[in-house]
Amino acid sequence: MDRRQFLKSSSALLTLGAMPNILLATPSEGFDYELIVAPADVRIAPDGNTPAWCFNGHFPAPVIRAKQHQPVRIRVVNKLAEPTTIHWHGLRIPIAMDGVPFLSQAPIMPGETFDYEFTPPDAGTFWYHPHMNSVEQLGKGLVGAFIVDEAEDPGFDADVVMGLKNWHIRDDGSFTALTTPRNAFRMGTPGRLMTVNGKVAPTYYIPTGGAIRARLVNIDNTLTYNIRGDGSDLTIVTVDGNPIATPRPLQQHLMGPGMRLDLGFIAPDEADQIVTLYHKHEVLVRFKTVGESKQRRALPRLPLNPIPTPDLDNAETIQFAFEWDASINPVKKDGKVNYRFWTINRKAWDGMSAKHIPEPLARLEQGKTYIFELANLTQYHHPIHLHGHTFTVLDSNKQRIEPFHTDTVLLGQNETARIAFVADNPGRWMYHCHVIEHLKTGLMGYIEVS
């Protein structure tokens, strides 16, 4: 959308962020949305198309918007030549809707459909992606934002959704290696082209003097973004889909793969002014003010999500150590190496099938509070994600923590953090690092709540 189109747009469009190159998912008969998973050529690189895998033939993927406490029905149609599923990252939903093959549902085979239906209890910024052949399916583009709007509109003047992804592509659009053993053993294989909604350093138009909500979603396989900004007083209002009790100024914020960050700010009170967000010193996105000033002076306040309060006095503590696997990697029957570089409590995830479900890392009692002590005994970052629950980060041996709610905690080198949650959602829930090459080479397991 160019500046002239923006100025002609309605206020309803402003609430969607006036975003160039991004779509809302479309309804289907009997469903709120239909997602078609299929190959599609998309233009990301400067000199040629990329043979991506997409939702509804487009990248960025359609933004799904649901409403807190209201049911949403989504039909997924698989037109790939391989099975897939869809996981709704960060959403506290029933296990049958979690989208993990064999653990919670049968894979969606080529030509088949699967209908997801659930009622989001929490408002915030979430996302969706497959949980099969993850390096390739996510790496080639099957990643999208899922927004759950508050039960009552908080009253921002613009709501901008931004998916951050480094593409593994050359200038001509062809793919480079999505993974290599050398990099999977370390921090993961980096992409070459850093994009926001499939564009390099795009500029989005925002209302002059308006209250802006900027939603950042790290949909990358590998990269931890170091977010900072200038041009306005930027405030962190939510972390990983959960509003924080006391919004705080943005100085810098690390976002591992799978993590989200909502920033609020009052746009400059004059037209043609710029607010910029950076990854380290590299421009991610610019916002430019247009139109007459809305003269907002304060940001709307977001209500906290209804997260169960952990009973810390009666909690059971379980320790988890994330380490390298020093064993010799096994060779499959076809002669290919079955790389296993990472472990949780000295066990590497070896996959599962309809006939083989490994033992859980822990068995939890429904309704009971647990404290997980997470020890990263490596020199690399690990964003540790738990399905089906929202936990409270209590403290860390490396940084001062103001307790906050999340579904993914970023552990730095040799960092130990404690998290607490009420095991209130029965089922077998995946529990893994969200650096995709790490989970694919061992750093994954599940917990069982019963």
Side-chain angles (χ1 to χ4, degrees):
M1 176 177 294
D2 63 23
R3 185 176 186 276
R4 180 177 299 174
Q5 290 172 318
F6 179 92
L7 290 171
K8 289 181 178 179
S9 67
S10 67
S11 60
L13 183 56
L14 284 177
T15 65
L16 301 181
M19 302 229 299
N21 196 40
I22 196 162
L23 303 175
L24 285 175
T26 54
S28 176
E29 184 177 355
F31 293 87
D32 297 291
Y33 300 104
E34 181 178 72
L35 294 175
I36 299 173
V37 187
D41 288 341
V42 296
R43 192 58 174 261
I44 305 292
D47 300 327
N49 289 337
T50 292
W53 292 354
C54 296
F55 294 107
N56 296 3
H58 191 270
F59 191 89
V63 174
I64 293 178
R65 294 195 87 106
K67 192 85 167 180
Q68 187 179 21
H69 307 311
Q70 294 186 14
V72 59
R73 301 187 72 208
I74 304 164
R75 168 158 285 182
V76 174
V77 182
N78 182 14
K79 293 188 177 181
L80 297 176
E82 65 182 52
T84 192
T85 62
I86 303 297
H87 168 59
W88 314 96
H89 182 115
L91 290 165
R92 297 188 296 138
I93 56 180
I95 185 63
M97 298 291 104
D98 194 51
V100 175
F102 310 115
L103 206 61
S104 62
Q105 69 169 89
I108 310 171
M109 302 304 290
E112 292 184 350
T113 65
F114 190 90
D115 299 336
Y116 294 92
E117 182 174 2
F118 49 84
T119 300
D122 307 317
T125 304
F126 307 97
W127 65 296
Y128 62 98
H129 61 81
H131 230 288
M132 295 197 71
N133 188 15
S134 301
V135 169
E136 188 167 14
Q137 292 196 15
L138 276 69
K140 286 189 172 182
L142 290 174
V143 286
F146 191 113
I147 306 302
V148 181
D149 291 313
E150 288 77 11
E152 296 185 11
D153 184 359
F156 285 93
D157 297 300
D159 187 338
V160 187
V161 182
M162 292 166 288
L164 313 182
K165 179 174 171 59
N166 262 27
W167 283 82
H168 295 69
I169 53 177
R170 303 176 182 87
D171 288 349
D172 65 2
S174 60
F175 277 105
T176 59
L178 296 173
T179 182
T180 64
R182 176 183 177 87
N183 286 313
F185 184 73
R186 294 170 172 79
M187 195 56 240
T189 306
R192 295 183 64 249
L193 190 66
M194 189 165 65
T195 66
V196 174
N197 293 336
K199 298 293 185 182
V200 176
T203 296
Y204 296 154
Y205 297 103
I206 57 174
T208 300
I212 312 301
R213 183 176 189 170
R215 304 178 189 253
L216 301 172
V217 186
N218 187 347
I219 53 177
D220 196 75
N221 278 20
T222 301
L223 183 64
T224 293
Y225 288 86
N226 189 343
I227 304 297
R228 64 181 189 86
D230 62 30
S232 183
D233 293 329
L234 299 160
T235 300
I236 296 174
V237 294
T238 86
V239 174
D240 297 329
N242 286 279
I244 57 178
T246 305
R248 63 180 184 269
L250 172 69
Q251 296 175 337
Q252 65 174 12
H253 185 88
L254 294 177
M255 292 177 62
M259 300 176 76
R260 293 88 65 209
L261 180 70
D262 284 19
L263 299 174
F265 62 95
I266 301 298
D269 211 31
E270 297 180 2
D272 298 324
Q273 301 300 301
I274 300 293
V275 177
T276 307
L277 298 181
Y278 303 88
H279 162 55
K280 297 181 179 179
H281 299 290
E282 189 171 354
V283 173
L284 277 175
V285 60
R286 296 181 179 90
F287 302 96
K288 188 173 184 179
T289 56
V290 294
E292 295 184 3
S293 177
K294 292 189 174 292
Q295 298 183 339
R296 295 290 289 267
R297 295 295 176 257
L299 291 172
R301 295 302 299 265
L302 295 172
L304 301 183
N305 282 327
I307 308 302
T309 301
D311 179 7
L312 298 180
D313 292 336
N314 296 293
E316 178 182 343
T317 297
I318 304 176
Q319 296 177 323
F320 294 94
F322 307 103
E323 300 179 271
W324 274 308
D325 185 353
S327 64
I328 297 174
N329 289 289
V331 177
K332 300 177 183 179
K333 291 182 180 180
D334 60 6
K336 295 181 180 179
V337 177
N338 187 21
Y339 290 109
R340 289 294 175 264
F341 297 138
W342 304 94
T343 65
I344 303 178
N345 288 352
R346 301 194 172 183
K347 292 182 180 180
W349 178 253
D350 197 37
M352 59 186 168
S353 66
K355 296 181 179 180
H356 171 67
I357 304 294
E359 287 295 302
L361 292 168
R363 288 185 169 91
L364 311 184
E365 180 182 340
Q366 185 176 352
K368 186 175 177 179
T369 293
Y370 293 86
I371 295 174
F372 283 7
E373 187 176 287
L374 312 177
N376 175 15
L377 304 180
T378 80
Q379 70 187 81
Y380 299 106
H381 284 89
H382 295 293
I384 303 300
H385 173 53
L386 175 62
H387 290 208
H389 294 78
T390 295
F391 52 80
T392 303
V393 181
L394 300 176
D395 51 44
S396 163
N397 68 333
K398 289 286 188 177
Q399 54 183 313
R400 181 182 176 275
I401 296 289
E402 184 73 28
F404 64 97
H405 299 312
T406 182
D407 53 74
T408 309
V409 61
L410 184 63
L411 300 178
Q413 177 182 357
N414 295 321
E415 181 176 7
T416 297
R418 292 192 313 144
I419 67 172
F421 66 99
V422 179
D424 63 339
N425 200 354
R428 297 180 296 190
W429 300 102
M430 294 307 301
Y431 172 46
H432 59 86
C433 176
H434 223 286
V435 174
I436 302 302
E437 289 162 275
H438 290 178
L439 73 86
K440 294 298 288 185
T441 54
L443 221 166
M444 182 160 69
Y446 73 94
I447 63 169
E448 185 171 16
V449 178
S450 60

